[in-house]
Amino acid sequence: MKRLALRTGVRWKISIAIAAVGALIAVALSLVVHNAARVSMIENAREVQLERLLGAQRFYEATSMQKGGPKFGAKLNDPTIPPSLRDEVRKNRRATHVEQGSDGVPEVWAAVPLAGGDVLSLHSRFADRSATIMDDLDRALIIGSVSVVFGGCALGVLIGGQLSRRLRKAAAAAGRVAQGQTDVRVREAVGGVVRDETDELARAVDALTDALNERIEAERRVTADIAHELRTPVTGLLTAAELLPPGRPTELVRDRAQAMRTLVEDVLEVARLDSASERAELQMLPLGEFVSRRIGLLNPDVTVRVVHESWVSTDPRRLERILGNLLGNAAKHGSTPVEVTVEGRVVRVRDHGPGFPEELLRDGPSRFRTGSVDRAGHGHGLGLTIAAGQARVLGARLTFRNAAPSGAAVGTGGAIAVLWLPEHAPTDTGSFPVLRMADQRQASD
């Protein structure tokens, strides 16, 4: 069975923890104070009861020659004296005894021995005033405990809220780093004056980001250097192949040399795109007409449908490169018919093959990965990587999905690549233009 996972924030966890600890402490202290006060008042009642009995004893002994018995509520040889108290008196000791009454109110006994073996005792219930004091004390302890719990909750919300905000800022900054914004620093995003474990986490994430960026940059430089060094010998090899006599072996050499040259050029292009140094040369053009004309030259068998025409500011050379790579990927790994739909600023390229592999849908295009067995066997996995990189230069977004639902039979749906061109194209510096307020109102209207 799948375990039920409850998601709670740090704020509420800290609040509940502080409230629970505060409640335990408040209950423990309340019990201690209540018992200590009760014991103290009962001991005081014992002393008072014994002093009253001694006064009654002195009065009884001073008037023993007169008629009448003990005064002040004292009794002589009371048969209801508790056995434990009677045993203490038989030992010629003054003693007191407290027992719980039937209604829960303590009853206090005091007894002293007299000459001749008699026992003088005094019996009374716990003072009403003492019971009232205990009730007031219990009420004050309850109010204080509740106040401590609520105060602890408020303090926990305050402390936990601050920590939660810092963690959320750190998580948001780390998410932007994961999206490719390598200039983001988690420590700066967290901010604050107080230094705690959140700052240590932020510094660790920043150090990890710097290390990954350095490694990626080193790999990019190595890849670019290798491709650049291969360009000259590959060009020479291709030129030498042109000088070979006609024949099948010559065609094979020329074909492999051309494939190697294409691979070298693609690797160099990927390296340039990874360096984030590419800039778009923008032009205003009708998207539907441009796509129809270019695809007609690239592959006349592809069906183009313009649902809604729209003028866009983009780089025609890079847009053509994206379309060419998407069509090439559909031709290599998909099946006919291949359909292209233009709707406003959105271009969709669909084939009717086995669809994109799950790894590509989950992680995006990756160089030198051609996908599953059904969609592999040709190319080096650079086509979609270059298309995605060129889309980033244009400020566009390239998404991938399958027409068939997950788990459907192979060949029942096909792959769909969607290019979302931005409403405002990037400038020559790679940033997006800042609109004036009037332009923003006009755009929103």
Side-chain angles (χ1 to χ4, degrees), residues 153-169:
C153 286
L155 182 61
V157 169
L158 180 62
I159 298 175
Q162 182 179 4
L163 179 59
S164 178
R165 283 191 297 271
R166 291 168 63 84
L167 290 175
R168 290 182 185 277
K169 289 179 180 179

Side-chain angles (χ1 to χ4, degrees), residues 159-173 186-187 189-202:
I159 298 175
Q162 182 179 4
L163 179 59
S164 178
R165 283 191 297 271
R166 291 168 63 84
L167 290 175
R168 290 182 185 277
K169 289 179 180 179
V186 180
R187 178 65 189 87
V190 171
V193 178
V194 180
R195 297 292 181 264
D196 53 19
E197 289 79 1
T198 309
D199 298 271
E200 298 178 6
L201 173 63

Side-chain angles (χ1 to χ4, degrees), residues 135-159:
D135 292 340
D136 293 340
L137 177 61
D138 292 341
R139 190 179 301 109
L141 291 175
I142 293 175
I143 294 175
S145 300
V146 173
S147 301
V148 168
V149 172
F150 279 101
C153 286
L155 182 61
V157 169
L158 180 62
I159 298 175

Side-chain angles (χ1 to χ4, degrees), residues 177 180 182 208-224 271 274-275 367:
V177 172
T182 57
L208 176 62
T209 302
D210 293 337
L212 289 177
N213 289 336
E214 292 176 0
R215 181 172 180 179
I216 292 173
E217 180 62 22
E219 293 179 353
R220 185 195 65 79
R221 287 197 300 268
V222 170
T223 303
D274 288 343
S275 66
R367 64 200 69 178

Side-chain angles (χ1 to χ4, degrees), residues 86 181 309 341 343 424:
R86 189 183 300 276
Q181 302 180 24
E309 182 64 278
T341 304
E343 185 174 359
H424 305 292

Side-chain angles (χ1 to χ4, degrees), residues 63-142:
T63 59
S64 59
M65 302 303 296
Q66 301 178 7
K67 295 181 179 180
K71 305 295 182 180
F72 309 114
K75 294 182 180 180
L76 187 64
N77 298 325
D78 188 355
T80 61
I81 295 177
S84 59
L85 182 62
R86 189 183 300 276
D87 293 340
E88 292 294 326
V89 175
R90 287 174 180 173
K91 298 177 182 179
N92 201 28
R93 297 176 181 175
R94 301 171 183 174
T96 58
H97 176 79
V98 178
E99 65 180 15
Q100 198 75 12
S102 58
D103 55 355
V105 179
E107 297 183 358
V108 184
W109 291 78
V112 294
L114 298 177
D118 295 329
V119 176
L120 184 66
S121 63
L122 182 63
H123 171 218
S124 64
R125 292 166 58 86
F126 197 68
D128 294 338
R129 182 171 177 272
S130 299
T132 303
I133 293 175
M134 289 299 301
D135 292 340
D136 293 340
L137 177 61
D138 292 341
R139 190 179 301 109
L141 291 175
I142 293 175

